Amino acid sequence: MNILLTGGAGYIGSHTCVMLQKMGFSPVIYDNFSNSNILTIQNINKINGIAPDFVKGDILDFNLLKSTLKRYEIGAVIHFAGLKSVKESIEKPSLYHKVNVEGSKNLVKAMQACNIFTLIFSSSATVYGDPKFLPITEDHPLKPKNPYGISKLEVEEFLEDLTNQNPN
């Protein structure tokens, strides 16, 4: 199966790519390299002896997302793409909303247009804010304290609403 890894050239995305290849999947990295480096692709090749396919692209580019999903006959998406600095999110909250929230909605829209309904979203523990108890469990109260955490929670809520509308 071909799996699209948005933000796949980042730290977590690249490690996921290595493991997916070892498991027999064919990952396709989709990344704009704003938080990563093209050399990551070469490093994955050095580790596994297989260079993943990659597309230099932004999750805000609906047409490129859609054509990538079709071109590579993607069966599932693992979504790591987004901005990730708490400090920067405080300085640029609208940018974090645009990239993290609107970019994620754009990805889902492209997936729907291609009849792809399998998505793994990488959120963040920042959605919990200051822990009320440890360890943090899934039923922990959600109270993000910065625009980065808020953007991640907004995507979680969007995906939950979407799932509730289409339970299959």
Side-chain angles (χ1 to χ4, degrees):
M1 175 192 297
N2 296 339
I3 299 174
L4 187 70
L5 295 174
T6 67
Y11 182 80
I12 297 171
S14 62
H15 284 76
T16 301
C17 182
V18 166
M19 293 309 298
L20 287 171
Q21 284 180 329
K22 287 182 178 183
M23 295 169 64
F25 292 99
S26 299
V28 177
I29 290 176
Y30 185 95
D31 205 305
N32 67 4
F33 303 107
S34 65
N35 287 316
S36 58
N37 191 306
I38 189 84
L39 295 175
T40 303
I41 309 299
Q42 294 172 6
N43 291 334
I44 293 169
N45 187 23
K46 286 179 188 176
I47 293 167
N48 282 347
I50 306 166
D53 288 318
F54 75 94
V55 174
K56 184 175 182 185
D58 194 289
I59 58 170
L60 294 169
D61 186 340
F62 174 79
N63 290 327
L64 184 58
L65 275 169
K66 186 176 163 185
S67 67
T68 299
L69 293 168
K70 286 182 179 182
R71 176 180 172 202
Y72 290 98
E73 299 178 350
I74 298 298
V77 176
I78 302 176
H79 181 33
F80 296 115
L83 299 175
K84 60 183 180 177
S85 167
V86 169
K87 180 181 176 192
E88 184 184 53
S89 78
I90 293 166
E91 297 164 359
K92 302 174 182 176
S94 61
L95 176 63
Y96 272 67
H97 178 83
K98 179 179 180 182
V99 173
N100 293 355
V101 179
E102 297 307 318
S104 296
K105 288 179 177 181
N106 197 48
L107 171 63
V108 169
K109 181 180 167 186
M111 291 174 64
Q112 289 172 323
C114 296
N115 292 314
I116 300 167
F117 302 103
T118 303
L119 172 68
I120 296 172
F121 171 62
S122 178
S123 190
S124 170
T126 60
V127 300
Y128 300 111
D130 293 328
K132 304 289 183 242
F133 54 83
L134 293 173
I136 294 173
T137 60
E138 289 286 327
D139 61 345
H140 191 282
L142 301 170
K143 193 161 176 66
K145 296 179 66 172
N146 55 65
Y148 168 68
I150 291 167
S151 73
K152 287 295 196 172
L153 181 56
E154 283 185 55
V155 176
E156 286 187 15
E157 290 171 342
F158 165 74
L159 293 172
E160 184 176 10
D161 289 346
L162 192 65
T163 302
N164 289 337
Q165 291 172 7
N166 302 299
N168 297 327

